[in-house]
Amino acid sequence: MSMTLAASALFAQTALMPGKSSPQDIVAARKFAMRSFNADLRDIRLKIESGDVIGVVSPALSVSAKAQLIPLVFVDRHESAYPFEGSNKYFKGADTQSFQAAAEYLNAQAQKLLRIASDKDAKKADQHLNRVKRACVDCHTKYRGES
C-alpha cells in the first residue's frame, strides 16, 4: 500500500495555478485525481466487505469533492501533454455541459452513498457502490481514449 501511495505521489508534483499551469502539469493532476478515485473506490469496497460501513464516509467524501472539482481541469484536451509517461489513456475532449452533467451525476451518487453509509446498511452500500462505479465507467467510456 505504501508503495502505491509513493508511486502515485510522483504524479502530483505541483499545485495548479489558474492560467499559469502548463498542460503537462494539468494532465499530471488529472491522472493523479483518477488514481485517487481508484484508491477511494477500493477503500470503499474493502470497508464494506469488512463490515466497516461507517468507514466508507471518508473515501465517499473524497469522491464527492473530486467530482465537484474535476470539470475545472477537464476544460481543455491538452493534446501537447500526450502521450503521458506511464499511461496510454488520454482525454478525448467533451462539451462543458455534458462533462459537468457526468461530474454532477458522480457527485450525486457519492452523496447518496454517504447517506447509506450513515445508516450503516452494508448491503445497500455494496449495491450502491456499483452505481458509483458505473458513473466512473460511463464517463471514461465517453471521454477517455486509449493509444
Side-chain angles (χ1 to χ4, degrees):
M1 181 70 158
S2 62
M3 291 296 287
T4 302
L5 292 175
S8 294
L10 294 175
F11 289 100
Q13 296 296 317
T14 186
L16 299 181
M17 296 302 296
K20 296 182 180 180
S21 296
S22 71
Q24 291 76 15
D25 287 342
I26 292 169
V27 170
R30 293 187 322 203
K31 298 284 185 180
F32 185 71
M34 293 303 123
R35 287 176 185 223
S36 179
F37 271 126
N38 285 336
D40 289 333
L41 293 174
R42 180 180 183 274
D43 192 26
I44 291 167
R45 179 182 53 81
L46 292 174
K47 285 184 170 145
I48 291 170
E49 287 174 358
S50 73
D52 180 17
V53 182
I54 202 69
V56 166
V57 169
S58 182
L61 282 169
S62 180
V63 169
S64 176
K66 285 184 289 253
Q68 293 173 54
L69 292 170
I70 59 171
L72 297 173
V73 293
F74 280 94
V75 173
D76 296 309
R77 289 179 57 196
H78 295 301
E79 298 96 327
S80 66
Y82 296 102
F84 189 81
E85 186 177 340
S87 176
N88 65 341
K89 312 282 193 293
Y90 65 93
F91 177 50
K92 295 191 290 189
D95 66 273
T96 304
Q97 291 157 330
S98 67
F99 195 87
Q100 180 178 356
E104 287 177 359
Y105 181 74
L106 175 58
N107 181 40
Q109 297 311 309
Q111 292 288 326
K112 186 169 182 180
L113 182 59
L114 283 167
R115 289 190 297 278
I116 292 168
S118 68
D119 292 338
K120 300 179 184 173
D121 188 332
K123 184 176 180 182
K124 272 187 176 177
D126 188 44
Q127 291 169 344
H128 197 75
L129 177 57
N130 289 324
R131 292 188 82 172
V132 175
K133 289 179 186 176
R134 175 55 45 203
C136 294
V137 169
D138 288 348
C139 194
H140 285 195
T141 300
K142 289 179 189 172
Y143 306 121
R144 184 175 68 173
E146 196 167 327
S147 305

